[in-house]
Amino acid sequence: MQYKSFLIKYAEIGTKGKNRYLFEDALIKQMKRALKNVEGQFVISKESGRIYVDTEGEYDYDEAVDALKRVFGIVWICPMVQFEDRDYENIKKQAVAYMDEVYPDKRLTFKVNARRGDKSYPHMSEEINRDVGEVILNAFPEMKVDVHHPDVLLHVEVRKKVSIYSLMIPGAGGMPVGTNGKAMLLLSGGIDSPVAGWMIAKRGVKIDAVYFHAPPYTSERAKQKVVDLARLVARYSGPIALHIVNFTDIQLYIYDKCPHEELTIIMRRYMMRIAEQIANDTGCIGLITGESIGQVASQTMQSLLCTNDACSLPVYRPLIGFDKQEIVDISEKIDTYETSVLPYEDCCTIFVAKHPVTKPNLNVIRKSERNLEEKIDEMVAEAIRTKEVVWCD
Ligand code: ATP
Ligand code: MG
């Protein structure tokens, strides 16, 4: 069956009432973005509680479904047959034709599930269930009705048009990007931060990102890897402005002036400070990191306390309670894993101490940072001034 249309079902949680149109419009905008690069012509329309995608001419079905699967806010993608002629006999005829074409092997059980979106339609849902069921049974004697566990649940929706569908492909869930604020993701080349960004974008949040690199200690390839990861996340979240900050001088300065076992924590605090400044300059109202309690020395509760203390914007850490394997599973699902495990150097690992503190004391850390007073503000300002922005779409 070459489907010409799709019925898109979305979650309605928190979107009832006045704000519903905002949610629908954001969803349609994201669907258009996702379908932009798919071969074919797509027309998206809405009708109370439903969004339809109509195709014109040839199009790539698999690519279109994959694109829609990446749109947050969609719960089900249903390839369907839709027609305007609501004549009762026509509906029956179309239902039989649908079953014939979609299910060449007729040895199956089914149930008709009719719904009248338009309550003025002269036939009740129960009546449609019965009558459509009957014509299908008459046309295909091998088929049987099973009202409890049917192989095929045939939906017949009567609205301005009639929609018939039985396939329901799970969507990404969540909320459409653009229905919430914007946040700044601290994106490294690792496994965790792309997953963290994906998770927050899934809640409708628009995302920008910041990456700290340390040339010549970190290579051009390591930077390209982060650009690639941002592009992979952008397939779900929409375009990401990636701010690339040269962190080398700051790292060397900290290395020179502070105890080596505190290096990672102090570095992380400067990352948060710089990320916060860029966030404030670009309209982001939160930071996102890939931290998870206890994963490494810099992510113990004590370390997180010290990192958190360096900024005042809320820091969203969606992976905080996840085990590594759970994070890996998501990264595989969203296709970032293979890029994340490419073995390029990371600025955090280059200057890392042999025995980093695992229970840093905030007062001690603050005191160590006083050694930086002479130059650090100017260095931070310089790092922000000289940052490069890559548009990842
Ligand atoms: P990831 O897999 O995301 O790199 P990680 O397990 O390597 O995380 P850390 O290196 O301690 O953990 O980093 C913790 C978080 O700090 C990362 O998830 C990321 O949000 C941020 N971060 C670390 N290094 C960088 C960097 N070079 N640029 C931007 N953000 C970074
Ligand atoms: Mg890392």
Side-chain angles (χ1 to χ4, degrees):
M1 171 83 130
Q2 173 66 281
Y3 292 98
K4 290 201 171 65
S5 312
F6 296 87
L7 167 63
I8 301 300
K9 296 193 182 188
Y10 53 85
E12 292 178 29
I13 304 157
T15 62
K16 294 218 195 299
K18 286 201 302 273
N19 288 333
R20 179 168 170 155
Y21 78 97
L22 292 174
F23 179 96
E24 289 173 337
D25 291 351
L27 183 57
I28 290 173
K29 190 171 163 199
Q30 293 305 319
M31 287 169 60
K32 283 187 180 153
R33 179 189 59 75
L35 290 168
K36 189 178 64 189
N37 298 322
V38 178
E39 208 188 301
Q41 295 271 12
F42 303 93
V43 179
I44 303 175
S45 57
K46 68 174 175 176
E47 190 191 343
S48 58
R50 290 284 182 267
I51 290 176
Y52 302 121
V53 181
D54 288 305
T55 64
E56 279 169 14
E58 294 287 301
Y59 75 103
D60 188 320
Y61 174 86
D62 292 328
E63 262 190 47
V65 170
D66 278 348
L68 291 170
K69 276 178 161 174
R70 290 192 297 268
V71 177
F72 295 130
I74 295 181
V75 177
W76 295 106
I77 302 157
C78 312
M80 66 168 179
V81 167
Q82 196 176 53
F83 45 91
E84 282 179 22
D85 180 358
R86 306 197 310 177
D87 176 70
Y88 203 41
E89 292 311 309
N90 186 50
I91 293 180
K92 292 185 207 166
K93 199 175 91 197
Q94 297 277 1
V96 170
Y98 178 94
M99 292 299 274
D100 196 21
E101 199 169 345
V102 178
Y103 301 101
D105 183 354
K106 303 290 186 283
R107 288 163 302 175
L108 51 78
T109 60
F110 74 98
K111 174 185 172 179
V112 181
N113 180 27
R115 217 174 133 165
R116 281 186 321 160
D118 174 1
K119 299 293 177 211
S120 70
Y121 191 69
H123 301 274
M124 308 287 277
S125 303
E126 274 312 310
E127 191 185 343
I128 303 174
N129 286 342
R130 205 178 49 236
D131 293 344
V132 171
E134 192 179 303
V135 289
I136 293 172
L137 286 172
N138 288 341
F140 312 113
E142 306 98 303
M143 289 191 183
K144 291 195 172 53
V145 170
D146 180 342
V147 291
H148 299 296
H149 305 287
D151 299 325
V152 174
L153 185 59
L154 183 70
H155 298 270
V156 178
E157 278 194 18
V158 184
R159 292 173 179 249
K160 270 190 217 128
K161 297 179 184 175
V162 182
S163 312
I164 296 183
Y165 62 95
S166 57
L167 302 180
M168 294 180 68
I169 302 161
M175 312 278 275
V177 170
T179 53
N180 228 306
K182 184 164 78 162
M184 181 64 72
L185 168 67
L186 282 86
L187 182 63
S188 67
I191 295 171
D192 306 330
S193 42
V195 173
W198 178 85
M199 283 179 73
I200 296 298
K202 183 165 182 277
R203 297 307 304 159
V205 177
K206 209 179 154 344
I207 296 232
D208 279 343
V210 56
Y211 166 59
F212 297 91
H213 72 150
Y217 304 97
T218 63
S219 64
E220 200 54 32
R221 284 190 316 179
K223 176 170 133 183
Q224 185 57 43
K225 173 181 163 178
V226 176
V227 172
D228 293 342
L229 283 171
R231 291 213 171 101
L232 289 170
V233 175
R235 280 154 61 92
Y236 295 87
S237 68
I240 293 177
L242 173 65
H243 303 263
I244 300 176
V245 174
N246 187 326
F247 206 47
T248 314
D249 289 347
I250 293 175
Q251 278 187 301
L252 291 172
Y253 189 50
I254 300 172
Y255 192 76
D256 193 31
K257 299 280 184 194
C258 300
H260 288 183
E261 65 276 12
E262 294 170 9
L263 207 71
T264 311
I265 292 294
I266 295 176
M267 246 168 52
R268 301 273 306 117
R269 282 164 60 87
Y270 277 97
M271 282 187 186
M272 300 306 270
R273 289 181 175 118
I274 293 172
E276 178 168 52
Q277 280 199 36
I278 301 174
N280 286 335
D281 291 345
T282 54
C284 293
I285 55 172
L287 303 179
I288 306 166
T289 72
E291 290 157 316
S292 135
I293 292 177
Q295 199 188 76
V296 287
S298 58
Q299 295 175 28
T300 61
M301 293 276 284
Q302 293 84 351
S303 298
L304 287 167
L305 173 89
C306 293
T307 312
N308 209 54
D309 165 78
C311 60
S312 50
L313 278 179
V315 182
Y316 297 100
R317 300 179 171 92
L319 307 180
I320 200 71
F322 280 32
D323 296 346
K324 193 72 187 187
Q325 188 57 47
E326 293 171 307
I327 303 170
V328 165
D329 290 347
I330 300 178
S331 75
E332 283 175 336
K333 188 176 92 180
I334 66 173
D335 273 340
T336 53
Y337 182 78
E338 281 186 12
T339 306
S340 287
V341 294
L342 293 172
Y344 306 140
E345 62 295 323
D346 173 51
C347 74
C348 289
T349 46
I350 281 166
F351 295 88
V352 80
K354 277 209 187 66
H355 300 289
V357 277
T358 52
K359 295 191 179 100
N361 176 300
L362 185 54
N363 290 326
V364 174
I365 297 288
R366 283 182 179 153
K367 191 156 162 253
S368 302
E369 283 182 356
R370 276 190 226 130
N371 300 341
L372 304 169
E373 265 166 10
E374 196 189 330
K375 290 200 205 152
I376 195 72
D377 288 349
E378 175 47 32
M379 290 175 103
V380 165
E382 174 71 7
I384 293 173
R385 210 165 30 239
T386 57
K387 74 181 163 61
E388 180 195 345
V389 185
V390 178
W391 188 248
C392 301
D393 196 357

